[in-house]
Amino acid sequence: MDKTFRIAPSILSANFAKLGEEIENVIKSGTDIVHFDVMDNHYVPNLTIGPLVCDAIRDLSHNVGALIDVHLMVKPVDRIIPDFAKAGADIITFHPEASDHIDRSLALVRDSGCKSGLVFNPATPLHYLDHVMDKVDMILLMSVNPGFGGQKFIPETLNKLKAARARIDAYYEKTGRQIWLEVDGGVNANNIAEIAKAGADTFVAGSAIFGSPNESDANRYDTVVAAMRASLATV
Amino acid sequence: MDKTFRIAPSILSANFAKLGEEIENVIKSGTDIVHFDVMDNHYVPNLTIGPLVCDAIRDLSHNVGALIDVHLMVKPVDRIIPDFAKAGADIITFHPEASDHIDRSLALVRDSGCKSGLVFNPATPLHYLDHVMDKVDMILLMSVNPGFGGQKFIPETLNKLKAARARIDAYYEKTGRQIWLEVDGGVNANNIAEIAKAGADTFVAGSAIFGSPNESDANRYDTVVAAMRASLATV
Amino acid sequence: MDKTFRIAPSILSANFAKLGEEIENVIKSGTDIVHFDVMDNHYVPNLTIGPLVCDAIRDLSHNVGALIDVHLMVKPVDRIIPDFAKAGADIITFHPEASDHIDRSLALVRDSGCKSGLVFNPATPLHYLDHVMDKVDMILLMSVNPGFGGQKFIPETLNKLKAARARIDAYYEKTGRQIWLEVDGGVNANNIAEIAKAGADTFVAGSAIFGSPNESDANRYDTVVAAMRASLATV
Amino acid sequence: MDKTFRIAPSILSANFAKLGEEIENVIKSGTDIVHFDVMDNHYVPNLTIGPLVCDAIRDLSHNVGALIDVHLMVKPVDRIIPDFAKAGADIITFHPEASDHIDRSLALVRDSGCKSGLVFNPATPLHYLDHVMDKVDMILLMSVNPGFGGQKFIPETLNKLKAARARIDAYYEKTGRQIWLEVDGGVNANNIAEIAKAGADTFVAGSAIFGSPNESDANRYDTVVAAMRASLATV
Amino acid sequence: MDKTFRIAPSILSANFAKLGEEIENVIKSGTDIVHFDVMDNHYVPNLTIGPLVCDAIRDLSHNVGALIDVHLMVKPVDRIIPDFAKAGADIITFHPEASDHIDRSLALVRDSGCKSGLVFNPATPLHYLDHVMDKVDMILLMSVNPGFGGQKFIPETLNKLKAARARIDAYYEKTGRQIWLEVDGGVNANNIAEIAKAGADTFVAGSAIFGSPNESDANRYDTVVAAMRASLATV
Amino acid sequence: MDKTFRIAPSILSANFAKLGEEIENVIKSGTDIVHFDVMDNHYVPNLTIGPLVCDAIRDLSHNVGALIDVHLMVKPVDRIIPDFAKAGADIITFHPEASDHIDRSLALVRDSGCKSGLVFNPATPLHYLDHVMDKVDMILLMSVNPGFGGQKFIPETLNKLKAARARIDAYYEKTGRQIWLEVDGGVNANNIAEIAKAGADTFVAGSAIFGSPNESDANRYDTVVAAMRASLATV
């Protein structure tokens, strides 16, 4: 297991009236990835942002060295995947329940020039990975139910992270190829170390970061990101 | 017919990295309404922006005196109507084909504290208005097909505007209540006068405005909006 | 126009723990039709009762001389129509928006041995009748939005009743065949006369009847039904 | 009204084991158009044939001078329209209820290089034509319910044909452009003259033709087609 | 494994004209749970009874000491769960295929004040339990296909019961918390002992009970329930 | 493992203008099964052929000793299963994701007089087999994504074939009943031996056969089929 940890601020919690500035600040504060949550009011009961917003932030995100990580909470997924690829997405993940043809959708993501991944809802079993490890660059485990507000980190996620980590490590043994393991939901400076110990290497955080600005920080979010990094350093 | 003309810039064509600034400029340039296009990748093949973006711009829009006019290109509509009302929408319109219970959805908009309206696709007949004039504050006629790019103003819309205007005027005769008549799609300084003559009083314009900034204008869009106003003054 | 008025208590407002007794009482109190509201939690946001309940009350309803009038608030309708016909329905009505093949669904109702009808939501235009008058035995106008609670009689229904009555009368002129005109929603002893004057001949009432039992009545609902009849007598 | 009558054999009634031969025979017998019925088991309860079959018969159909007239009984329609255009369709018609964006779907048919049309189920009102006459090359009235077997010509279709003819003639007066008026369902040599008198100029016939081969005819269907032509000559 | 056996008569087989009386009799005859089967004509091809019927029987069921166990054969489930909680349900179970967000739906059941459970169709694998044992109070295995009539107990259910029992026992070992294991379909006095031996502790029976009344029994169903109890006593 | 190998030409690649002749040729060339691919433009993005085409080829297929193996790429499946049984299908397979009631659909296939089977998309895990081995006569593993063109044999299928073979062999040990293991997608003379070694016994091939006619062969496809047989003989 490679000990690089990536922090991925979810911009749903940023101020949308000045999104460009928010992204520049949060990345300069020491984070790595712009996590971009797409909801369609069908797969989840909310509607957020689409390709046009992705396109608006692509250059400024890439200029500060961030990847754009698009998490599709939409169903179906095939029609919109190329739109996001054209709009600058670097990684596109989707839920296996949201495609009738998972292998094909994964291939479509890669054929569009992006890294591909599958997202697992808290109750979704990991068996969807059985025959597609070759086509997956990232596995995202939801530690809350996507699209619903006010939830805490679901403890069972720790067991699930261990199981996913075991699959990834076994695959790495066999092939030498790394697959990232991301976690999303209720992650903060207090629990991030424990989550990393369970096997995650990429950490989505929304209100935990954007809800804790420090106006005296050079980049507004330096303090809160530093706290996360300090916790991760203990792993 | 009241000769007030309202211009409603569609913010889908604005720069999303600095949306707040764009809105302030465009309203100060002489427009009246923030037109907010919501697409869900189901009713139309695109996904745009949702309540969270509306909430982010509500105060700054209202501070410069603009109404927020939310056009739902989503199906179904009832679940998301209260979300937009809470997020600051002043007007909410939807397509009659997108609700099984149109009268109820119109009532839901009003009960949520907003003005309500119906939107007609280019081919949609007007008789959906037959029994709900009492519950409608605005009628929006699409002069292009919503959600698809690269279309021009559909000429038949002029006939349809006249028919809608006749219904509105007859209703006004009977009740004394004004209903706004909005048009959306391919409107620009060249055709806006003709469209106004056909009966429209509220004009959505996207790329016609945001695609013609004048960096030497005080508010960036003064010139282009002035050209529209000049055309309207000839009506 | 034939001056027979029919009252159709909606059993959704009856006590379901002793449904047989309720039906016998309400029919003996002077009503004519058991109105049976079927909701599927898809076409409307509620789920009520199905063919099995219809079957349980068929004999006792028919024994006291009542017709069973099944109003389908379900979508689609074709699969369940024969189930209700087998379960004893005398009349089956459905919403035109709930069938892709309205003419075929109407024929299916009749081929199953029942009277057929179309139901119009408050906003639904009457044009769906243009080419199927021959296949319709009853027209039901909703005066509230079906499936949602706490609504009052929608005044526009009076205009719509007049328009439906005109279509029915013109058809009767031409063919000599009677079509019933039913109204459902917010009907009570206070407004029933005005509704009848607008053209209705069949009146659904739920809580207005079952919510006003008189324990000293021989059949529990004699008083309230008598009040309705008295109003109707003034028409 | 132009007095050219076109006969369009529906190949669903042909022998699919030797489809090429069947088409050559039926066209040489005096018919004009290969009517191609596409059902998807969703919009109608049957599944028939798709673009691949169209492609297989395109050259031989065109070689004998026939147009291929594709009637889509599918929902939605936009994804499959270009497939049929590529597979050789000359005309593509669809049901207005099967597209959320009728004007756009009509434009898509034309942009794909085909003639476009709308199909009306027996109960579907003609108002869907109100604002799209400019985009329609053919109007098809169903005289049975599509996708269901064993039905007879619905008499009300004669009234509907007259109403559609009136719209077409009025449009022709104004624009000089011809729109074809097709009828499909239960048409045969006995009723075809009456149907033509009501305004139809293009006649789909399936089993009426393919179910009446005459093995001594040069082209197998000469006799039956001649009988239809003879009836039409009386109009 | 705790050796308490619970019998849950399915009221779909009761007489709906006098449902209150039926429930009082069957519970007094020695059963424990009112099993309430909700079908929506979408997830299964039948429509049965909804919250309003539940509400009508809540007090009389609770007065005779019965729990109300609502089995949702509907899709989706989230909108209707609170309705049943308000209508008196004690347990609410649903099918994992019927919710996009299983963990969230289970939480919603509990937050509404009820015990929660998952139902497995005959072919549904048990892996849906992998990460939600903490949120499940009952597991229901279908031993027939829900919503279809005339089926016998599927023998493979015995193997599946053993597998489910093993999961429950392992979980109990670790946590000390009991999860009930219910079986539904084709259960009767002849096979109930074998089913109990395979691991079930809660037994749904419909026609096996309500189809065998004994008019000389004090509570109509004493004899048939006693026969079941006698079989269970041999386990 | 029984060493009989069956070759199943997929007629989607045949010439549809003379389908009967094509089938007779390909079977006489040494193949065993007519593989019949049904797509509905919903479960997969294509629409192919339905029961009516099956019916047209049933007698000639059976006359040359071929089974008709219908692969349903449709959703849902229950309505159309009896149609194909009546149209002459010998085997009917469907995708587990395409039925809410898999066990029931399998039973429906058998009750209609056909052999039944499940089809697994490349990413679909095998545990859908856990509780239905008794009801399955054939297992079909897709080695490409069905309904999308231009794909190659997916290598992971070899691992999946081994896993499926292990399940089948274990089941055979216990019951003595044979289940066929079919593979579909990118199979040709070059890779068929390796695929057979991984456990397949039935091989679908479309363009690999119909795209390689040899006009000097007695039955047009003798050469290409012989090449496949030769490869299989090395297993």
Side-chain angles (χ1 to χ4, degrees):
Chain A
M1 176 180 167
D2 129 52
K3 276 297 188 81
T4 305
F5 294 124
R6 285 164 293 266
I7 297 180
S10 167
I11 58 170
L12 279 201
S13 300
N15 181 347
F16 265 87
K18 46 177 188 172
L19 189 55
E21 190 184 318
E22 286 276 80
I23 289 173
E24 285 169 342
N25 275 330
V26 83
I27 297 297
K28 288 182 184 162
S29 295
T31 64
D32 309 281
I33 292 173
V34 172
H35 190 76
F36 195 104
D37 285 311
V38 185
M39 308 186 188
D40 70 351
N41 202 31
H42 284 80
Y43 183 64
V44 291
N46 202 344
L47 192 155
T48 57
I49 45 176
L52 168 146
V53 176
C54 188
D55 194 56
I57 61 158
R58 67 186 300 173
D59 289 346
L60 63 93
S61 297
H62 292 156
N63 288 346
V64 289
L67 295 174
I68 301 177
D69 163 27
V70 173
H71 172 195
L72 297 179
M73 283 161 275
V74 310
K75 180 180 185 178
V77 299
D78 285 8
R79 206 207 57 70
I80 212 168
I81 284 173
D83 290 1
F84 273 105
K86 276 178 217 136
D90 298 289
I91 304 167
I92 299 178
T93 62
F94 63 89
H95 292 252
E97 298 92 336
S99 177
D100 282 328
H101 304 284
I102 297 168
D103 181 278
R104 141 79 185 178
S105 299
L106 289 169
L108 178 61
V109 171
R110 284 198 178 162
D111 291 350
S112 305
C114 303
K115 300 280 183 185
S116 65
L118 286 181
V119 193
F120 291 80
N121 271 344
T124 304
L126 293 175
H127 307 73
Y128 284 109
L129 291 169
D130 285 2
H131 300 291
V132 293
M133 290 296 276
D134 282 346
K135 302 209 169 150
V136 166
D137 301 301
M138 185 158 80
I139 295 167
L140 168 48
L141 301 195
M142 296 304 304
S143 39
V144 299
N145 288 284
F148 298 86
Q151 300 170 83
K152 292 184 191 153
F153 184 88
I154 296 173
E156 170 65 24
T157 314
L158 297 175
N159 295 325
K160 203 171 177 181
L161 281 168
K162 286 171 198 155
R165 170 54 56 198
R167 282 178 180 251
I168 289 174
D169 289 350
Y171 179 78
Y172 179 73
E173 285 288 303
K174 208 172 57 180
T175 66
R177 195 172 69 87
Q178 287 285 2
I179 295 174
W180 293 2
L181 180 53
E182 189 174 42
V183 65
D184 182 3
V187 178
N188 56 47
N190 296 325
N191 61 12
I192 197 169
E194 186 184 12
I195 295 168
K197 278 176 198 145
D201 52 34
T202 307
F203 307 86
V204 179
S207 53
I209 293 178
F210 288 107
S212 301
N214 185 337
E215 300 305 341
S216 58
D217 282 0
N219 303 299
R220 217 165 178 247
Y221 303 109
D222 310 73
T223 305
V224 61
V225 174
M228 287 183 168
R229 289 287 177 201
S231 290
L232 285 172
T234 68
V235 178
Chain B
M1 177 179 166
D2 128 53
K3 276 298 188 79
T4 304
F5 293 125
R6 285 163 292 265
I7 298 181
S10 167
I11 58 171
L12 278 200
S13 300
N15 181 347
F16 265 88
K18 45 177 187 172
L19 189 54
E21 191 184 317
E22 287 276 79
I23 289 172
E24 285 169 342
N25 275 329
V26 85
I27 297 296
K28 288 181 185 163
S29 295
T31 63
D32 309 283
I33 292 175
V34 172
H35 189 75
F36 196 103
D37 284 312
V38 185
M39 308 187 187
D40 71 350
N41 201 31
H42 284 80
Y43 182 65
V44 291
N46 201 345
L47 192 155
T48 56
I49 44 175
L52 167 148
V53 176
C54 188
D55 193 57
I57 61 158
R58 67 186 300 175
D59 287 345
L60 61 93
S61 298
H62 293 156
N63 287 346
V64 289
L67 295 176
I68 302 178
D69 163 27
V70 172
H71 172 196
L72 296 180
M73 284 162 274
V74 309
K75 183 180 184 176
V77 300
D78 285 7
R79 206 208 56 72
I80 212 167
I81 283 172
D83 291 359
F84 273 106
K86 276 177 218 138
D90 298 291
I91 305 167
I92 299 178
T93 62
F94 63 90
H95 292 253
E97 299 92 337
S99 177
D100 283 327
H101 303 284
I102 297 168
D103 181 278
R104 141 81 185 177
S105 299
L106 289 169
L108 179 61
V109 172
R110 285 199 178 160
D111 291 349
S112 305
C114 303
K115 300 279 184 187
S116 64
L118 286 182
V119 193
F120 291 80
N121 271 343
T124 303
L126 292 175
H127 41 48
Y128 285 109
L129 291 169
D130 286 2
H131 301 291
V132 292
M133 290 295 275
D134 283 344
K135 303 212 169 148
V136 166
D137 301 300
M138 184 159 80
I139 295 169
L140 166 50
L141 300 195
M142 294 305 303
S143 42
V144 298
N145 288 284
F148 298 88
Q151 299 171 85
K152 290 183 192 155
F153 184 88
I154 296 172
E156 171 65 24
T157 314
L158 297 175
N159 295 326
K160 202 171 177 181
L161 280 167
K162 287 169 197 154
R165 169 54 56 199
R167 284 179 181 250
I168 290 173
D169 289 350
Y171 179 78
Y172 179 72
E173 285 288 303
K174 209 173 55 179
T175 66
R177 195 172 69 88
Q178 287 284 1
I179 295 174
W180 293 3
L181 180 53
E182 188 175 41
V183 65
D184 181 2
V187 177
N188 55 46
N190 295 325
N191 60 11
I192 197 168
E194 187 185 11
I195 295 167
K197 279 175 199 146
D201 52 36
T202 307
F203 307 86
V204 179
S207 53
I209 293 177
F210 288 107
S212 300
N214 187 337
E215 301 304 342
S216 58
D217 282 0
N219 303 300
R220 218 163 177 248
Y221 303 110
D222 310 72
T223 306
V224 61
V225 173
M228 287 183 167
R229 289 285 177 201
S231 290
L232 285 172
T234 69
V235 177
Chain C
M1 177 178 168
D2 130 53
K3 278 295 190 79
T4 305
F5 294 124
R6 286 163 292 267
I7 297 180
S10 167
I11 58 170
L12 280 201
S13 301
N15 181 349
F16 266 88
K18 46 177 188 173
L19 189 54
E21 190 184 318
E22 286 276 80
I23 289 171
E24 287 170 341
N25 275 329
V26 84
I27 297 297
K28 288 181 185 162
S29 296
T31 64
D32 310 280
I33 292 175
V34 172
H35 190 75
F36 196 104
D37 286 311
V38 185
M39 308 187 186
D40 70 351
N41 201 31
H42 284 79
Y43 183 64
V44 290
N46 201 347
L47 193 156
T48 57
I49 45 175
L52 168 147
V53 176
C54 187
D55 194 58
I57 62 159
R58 69 186 298 174
D59 288 346
L60 63 93
S61 298
H62 293 155
N63 287 346
V64 288
L67 295 175
I68 300 177
D69 164 25
V70 172
H71 171 197
L72 296 180
M73 284 161 275
V74 310
K75 182 181 184 175
V77 300
D78 285 7
R79 206 207 58 69
I80 212 167
I81 284 172
D83 291 358
F84 273 106
K86 276 178 218 135
D90 298 290
I91 304 167
I92 299 179
T93 62
F94 62 90
H95 292 252
E97 299 93 337
S99 176
D100 283 327
H101 304 284
I102 297 168
D103 180 277
R104 142 78 184 179
S105 299
L106 289 169
L108 179 61
V109 171
R110 284 198 179 162
D111 291 350
S112 305
C114 303
K115 300 281 184 185
S116 64
L118 287 181
V119 192
F120 291 80
N121 271 344
T124 302
L126 292 175
H127 308 73
Y128 285 109
L129 290 169
D130 286 2
H131 300 291
V132 293
M133 290 296 275
D134 282 345
K135 303 211 170 148
V136 165
D137 300 301
M138 183 159 79
I139 295 168
L140 167 50
L141 301 195
M142 295 303 303
S143 39
V144 297
N145 287 284
F148 299 86
Q151 299 170 84
K152 291 183 191 155
F153 184 87
I154 296 173
E156 171 65 25
T157 313
L158 296 175
N159 294 326
K160 201 171 179 182
L161 280 167
K162 286 169 197 154
R165 170 54 56 198
R167 285 179 180 250
I168 289 173
D169 288 351
Y171 179 79
Y172 179 72
E173 287 286 304
K174 207 172 58 180
T175 66
R177 195 173 68 89
Q178 287 284 2
I179 296 174
W180 293 2
L181 180 53
E182 188 175 41
V183 64
D184 181 3
V187 178
N188 55 48
N190 295 325
N191 60 11
I192 197 167
E194 186 184 12
I195 295 168
K197 278 174 199 147
D201 54 34
T202 308
F203 308 86
V204 178
S207 54
I209 293 177
F210 287 109
S212 301
N214 186 338
E215 301 304 341
S216 59
D217 282 0
N219 303 299
R220 218 165 175 245
Y221 303 109
D222 310 72
T223 304
V224 61
V225 173
M228 288 184 167
R229 290 285 177 202
S231 290
L232 285 172
T234 69
V235 178
Chain D
M1 176 179 167
D2 129 52
K3 275 298 190 77
T4 306
F5 293 124
R6 286 164 291 266
I7 298 179
S10 166
I11 58 171
L12 279 201
S13 300
N15 181 348
F16 266 87
K18 46 176 189 172
L19 189 56
E21 191 184 318
E22 287 275 79
I23 288 171
E24 287 168 343
N25 274 330
V26 85
I27 296 297
K28 288 181 184 163
S29 296
T31 63
D32 310 280
I33 292 175
V34 172
H35 189 76
F36 195 104
D37 285 312
V38 186
M39 307 186 188
D40 70 352
N41 202 30
H42 283 81
Y43 182 65
V44 291
N46 201 346
L47 192 156
T48 57
I49 45 177
L52 168 146
V53 176
C54 187
D55 193 57
I57 62 159
R58 65 185 301 172
D59 288 345
L60 63 92
S61 297
H62 293 155
N63 288 345
V64 290
L67 295 175
I68 301 178
D69 163 26
V70 172
H71 171 196
L72 297 179
M73 285 162 274
V74 309
K75 181 179 185 177
V77 300
D78 285 6
R79 206 207 58 70
I80 212 167
I81 283 171
D83 291 359
F84 272 105
K86 276 177 218 138
D90 297 291
I91 304 167
I92 299 178
T93 62
F94 62 90
H95 292 252
E97 299 93 336
S99 176
D100 283 326
H101 304 284
I102 296 167
D103 180 278
R104 140 79 185 179
S105 299
L106 289 168
L108 179 61
V109 171
R110 284 197 178 162
D111 291 349
S112 305
C114 302
K115 299 279 185 186
S116 64
L118 287 182
V119 193
F120 291 80
N121 271 343
T124 303
L126 293 176
H127 307 73
Y128 284 109
L129 292 168
D130 285 1
H131 300 291
V132 293
M133 291 296 275
D134 283 344
K135 303 212 168 147
V136 165
D137 300 300
M138 184 158 80
I139 295 167
L140 166 49
L141 301 194
M142 295 304 304
S143 40
V144 298
N145 289 283
F148 298 86
Q151 300 170 84
K152 291 184 191 152
F153 184 87
I154 295 172
E156 170 65 24
T157 314
L158 297 174
N159 295 326
K160 202 170 177 181
L161 280 167
K162 286 170 198 154
R165 170 53 57 198
R167 284 178 179 251
I168 289 173
D169 289 350
Y171 179 79
Y172 178 73
E173 285 288 303
K174 207 173 57 180
T175 66
R177 195 172 68 87
Q178 287 284 1
I179 296 174
W180 292 3
L181 181 53
E182 189 175 41
V183 65
D184 181 3
V187 178
N188 55 47
N190 295 325
N191 60 12
I192 196 168
E194 186 185 12
I195 294 167
K197 278 175 200 147
D201 53 34
T202 308
F203 308 86
V204 179
S207 54
I209 293 177
F210 289 108
S212 300
N214 186 337
E215 300 304 340
S216 59
D217 283 359
N219 303 299
R220 219 165 177 246
Y221 304 109
D222 310 74
T223 306
V224 61
V225 174
M228 286 182 168
R229 290 284 177 203
S231 290
L232 284 172
T234 68
V235 178
Chain E
M1 177 179 167
D2 129 53
K3 277 298 189 79
T4 306
F5 294 125
R6 284 165 293 265
I7 298 180
S10 166
I11 58 170
L12 280 200
S13 300
N15 182 348
F16 265 87
K18 47 176 187 173
L19 189 54
E21 189 185 320
E22 286 277 78
I23 289 172
E24 286 169 342
N25 274 330
V26 84
I27 296 296
K28 289 182 185 162
S29 294
T31 63
D32 310 280
I33 292 175
V34 171
H35 189 75
F36 195 104
D37 285 311
V38 185
M39 309 186 187
D40 70 353
N41 202 30
H42 284 80
Y43 183 65
V44 291
N46 201 345
L47 193 156
T48 55
I49 44 174
L52 167 147
V53 177
C54 188
D55 194 57
I57 63 159
R58 67 185 302 175
D59 288 345
L60 63 91
S61 297
H62 292 155
N63 287 345
V64 289
L67 295 175
I68 300 178
D69 163 27
V70 172
H71 172 196
L72 296 179
M73 283 162 276
V74 310
K75 182 180 182 177
V77 299
D78 285 7
R79 206 207 57 71
I80 212 167
I81 284 173
D83 291 359
F84 273 106
K86 275 178 219 135
D90 298 290
I91 305 168
I92 299 177
T93 63
F94 63 89
H95 291 253
E97 299 93 337
S99 176
D100 283 327
H101 304 284
I102 298 167
D103 180 278
R104 142 79 185 178
S105 299
L106 288 169
L108 180 60
V109 172
R110 283 198 178 162
D111 291 349
S112 306
C114 302
K115 299 280 183 185
S116 65
L118 287 180
V119 192
F120 291 80
N121 270 345
T124 303
L126 293 176
H127 308 73
Y128 284 110
L129 291 169
D130 285 2
H131 300 291
V132 293
M133 291 296 275
D134 282 345
K135 302 212 170 147
V136 165
D137 301 301
M138 184 158 80
I139 296 168
L140 167 49
L141 301 193
M142 296 303 303
S143 41
V144 299
N145 289 283
F148 298 87
Q151 300 171 83
K152 290 182 191 155
F153 184 87
I154 295 172
E156 171 65 24
T157 314
L158 297 175
N159 295 325
K160 201 171 179 180
L161 280 168
K162 286 170 196 154
R165 171 52 58 199
R167 284 179 180 251
I168 289 173
D169 288 352
Y171 178 79
Y172 179 73
E173 285 287 303
K174 208 172 55 180
T175 65
R177 194 172 70 89
Q178 287 285 1
I179 296 174
W180 292 3
L181 181 52
E182 188 175 41
V183 64
D184 180 3
V187 178
N188 55 46
N190 295 325
N191 61 12
I192 197 168
E194 187 184 10
I195 294 167
K197 278 175 197 148
D201 53 34
T202 308
F203 307 86
V204 179
S207 53
I209 292 178
F210 288 107
S212 300
N214 187 336
E215 302 303 342
S216 60
D217 283 358
N219 304 300
R220 220 166 174 242
Y221 303 109
D222 310 73
T223 304
V224 61
V225 174
M228 287 184 167
R229 290 285 176 201
S231 290
L232 285 172
T234 69
V235 178
Chain F
M1 177 178 169
D2 131 51
K3 276 298 188 78
T4 305
F5 293 125
R6 285 162 293 264
I7 297 180
S10 166
I11 59 171
L12 280 201
S13 300
N15 182 347
F16 265 88
K18 47 177 186 169
L19 190 55
E21 192 184 316
E22 286 276 80
I23 289 171
E24 286 169 343
N25 275 328
V26 84
I27 296 296
K28 288 181 185 163
S29 294
T31 63
D32 310 281
I33 292 174
V34 172
H35 189 75
F36 196 104
D37 285 313
V38 185
M39 307 186 189
D40 70 351
N41 201 32
H42 284 80
Y43 183 65
V44 292
N46 202 345
L47 192 154
T48 57
I49 44 176
L52 169 145
V53 177
C54 187
D55 193 57
I57 63 158
R58 67 186 299 174
D59 288 346
L60 62 92
S61 298
H62 292 156
N63 287 345
V64 290
L67 295 175
I68 301 177
D69 163 27
V70 172
H71 171 195
L72 297 179
M73 284 162 274
V74 309
K75 181 178 183 178
V77 299
D78 285 6
R79 207 208 56 72
I80 213 167
I81 283 172
D83 290 359
F84 273 106
K86 275 177 219 137
D90 298 290
I91 305 168
I92 299 178
T93 62
F94 63 89
H95 292 253
E97 298 93 337
S99 176
D100 283 327
H101 303 283
I102 298 168
D103 181 278
R104 143 78 185 181
S105 299
L106 289 169
L108 179 61
V109 171
R110 284 197 178 163
D111 291 349
S112 305
C114 303
K115 299 279 184 186
S116 65
L118 287 182
V119 193
F120 291 80
N121 271 344
T124 303
L126 293 175
H127 42 47
Y128 284 109
L129 291 168
D130 286 1
H131 300 290
V132 293
M133 291 295 276
D134 282 345
K135 303 213 169 146
V136 165
D137 299 301
M138 185 159 80
I139 295 167
L140 167 49
L141 301 195
M142 295 305 303
S143 41
V144 298
N145 288 284
F148 299 87
Q151 300 171 83
K152 291 185 192 153
F153 184 87
I154 295 172
E156 170 65 23
T157 315
L158 297 175
N159 294 326
K160 201 171 179 181
L161 280 168
K162 285 171 198 155
R165 171 52 58 198
R167 284 178 180 251
I168 289 173
D169 288 351
Y171 179 80
Y172 179 72
E173 285 287 304
K174 209 172 57 180
T175 65
R177 194 172 69 88
Q178 287 284 1
I179 296 173
W180 292 4
L181 181 54
E182 191 175 38
V183 64
D184 181 1
V187 178
N188 55 47
N190 295 326
N191 61 12
I192 197 169
E194 187 185 10
I195 295 167
K197 278 175 199 146
D201 53 34
T202 307
F203 307 87
V204 179
S207 55
I209 292 178
F210 288 108
S212 300
N214 186 338
E215 301 303 343
S216 60
D217 282 0
N219 303 301
R220 217 162 177 247
Y221 303 109
D222 311 74
T223 305
V224 60
V225 173
M228 286 184 168
R229 289 286 177 202
S231 289
L232 284 173
T234 69
V235 177

